Amino acid sequence: MNKPRPADAALYPTPADIENARARHELRANALRLRLGGVAKVIGGALLLALTLRSLVFEPFTITSPSMQPGLLVGDYLFVAKWPYGYSRYSLPLALPLFEGRMPAGRMAKRGDVVVFKSPADNRTDFIKRVIGLPGDSVAVTHGQLVLNGVAVPRVAEPASATQHRYRETLAGRSYVVTHSAADTPLDDFGPVVVPPDHYFMLGDNRDNSADSRLALIDGGVGMVPARNLVGRADRVFFSVDRAKLRQSPVHWGTAIRTDRIGAQF
């Protein structure tokens, strides 16, 4: 008399059928493990490559403030080159304290470079400014005019508005546009100060709306920036979006991407 079986019971007439079923299951499991292992290796390799590129070659950076206008706009996405100044703990992910100083030693930023650095206030907040003074330089601002080592940095007025002046400034062969409020501001007069060893003096191109080396840390600026805090040099814009248009109705979204800025270099 046959024993009753549950409706969902598997049917294996002989012990050999059971062994065959087990063997087939093991083969399928092994094949799945091999496929998953291959996928894991590909994903792991891609993550390792991305981490290496981010640590040693390029790191993405987003402009979130107007301090570098008009050259850099809020919503610009940049590639920051890591290798020009060598590497420090602050140019590595998580600022791991693997070594002190910069490696290799001796690589310095140049006057006029646009750089990303960690604020000396907390050594973790990213800032982007233009390098103005190198170690040993004397830096001053007189009525909005930048003075480097006792010599006024050349500038030429450009078309502006009643409330804002624009100048094309030329520093160490680098030409760029800076903006000033038409009205006098406290930041229009500063110094002179001498940049200490292993430090840089930074300014924003939006001279009256930039927390830079003219302001001490206690006043919300960055003071003199240690060389070890440099992350890298701004290289080029790879994407740019007008976020104000994204906050409007969808009919404006098509023009939110600023295609004319993609590829812009510094």
Side-chain angles (χ1 to χ4, degrees):
M1 184 176 181
N2 293 332
K3 296 181 180 180
R5 293 177 181 272
D8 57 351
L11 216 28
Y12 300 108
T14 68
D17 292 327
I18 294 175
E19 289 301 321
N20 288 336
R22 288 173 176 169
R24 289 194 299 271
H25 172 73
E26 191 62 30
L27 286 173
R28 287 194 296 268
N30 286 336
L32 180 60
R33 277 194 292 270
L34 288 173
R35 287 197 295 271
L36 291 178
V39 171
K41 288 180 180 178
V42 171
I43 294 175
L47 290 175
L48 181 61
L49 177 61
L51 182 62
T52 301
L53 290 174
R54 181 184 174 92
S55 301
L56 303 178
V57 186
F58 284 112
E59 180 175 339
F61 182 81
T62 309
I63 301 298
T64 58
S65 84
S67 70
M68 287 297 291
Q69 289 180 351
L72 289 171
L73 305 180
V74 174
D76 281 351
Y77 291 77
L78 318 177
F79 282 130
V80 176
K82 292 292 193 71
W83 70 89
Y85 311 140
Y87 305 94
S88 74
R89 61 175 294 187
Y90 297 114
S91 60
L92 300 177
L94 305 178
L96 296 174
L98 302 180
F99 54 88
E100 291 297 323
R102 302 197 72 85
M103 294 179 60
R107 293 188 182 179
M108 293 184 61
K110 299 177 182 178
R111 296 185 187 94
D113 283 358
V114 177
V115 302
V116 172
F117 59 92
K118 299 294 184 183
S119 169
D122 59 10
N123 291 327
R124 66 187 298 268
T125 303
D126 287 325
F127 275 71
I128 184 165
K129 306 292 179 188
R130 191 177 296 277
V131 176
I132 300 297
L134 305 182
D137 283 344
S138 170
V139 183
V141 180
T142 304
H143 302 304
Q145 169 73 60
L146 177 61
V147 180
L148 183 64
N149 295 322
V151 179
V153 174
R155 66 179 188 178
V156 177
E158 293 205 338
S161 67
T163 59
Q164 190 178 67
H165 296 314
R166 291 167 64 100
Y167 298 95
R168 179 162 293 278
E169 194 171 83
T170 302
L171 177 64
R174 191 79 54 88
S175 178
Y176 48 89
V177 176
V178 300
T179 61
H180 282 277
S181 169
D184 291 336
T185 70
L187 295 176
D188 284 342
D189 291 282
F190 171 85
V193 297
V194 175
V195 183
D198 296 321
H199 286 72
Y200 295 99
F201 187 96
M202 308 288 191
L203 283 181
D205 290 349
N206 188 352
R207 293 288 163 82
D208 295 310
N209 192 14
S210 174
D212 47 42
S213 293
R214 293 170 295 179
L215 294 171
L217 299 179
I218 196 69
D219 296 320
V222 298
M224 301 290 182
V225 177
R228 67 176 180 272
N229 284 48
L230 267 58
V231 173
R233 184 184 67 202
D235 184 71
R236 69 188 64 210
V237 176
F238 67 86
F239 185 71
S240 183
V241 61
D242 187 336
R243 295 174 181 175
K245 289 185 177 180
L246 291 180
R247 292 191 290 269
Q248 297 174 7
S249 64
V251 298
H252 298 282
W253 292 356
T255 59
I257 298 176
R258 298 183 288 232
T259 56
D260 60 312
R261 296 193 57 75
I262 297 175
Q265 292 182 276
F266 309 100

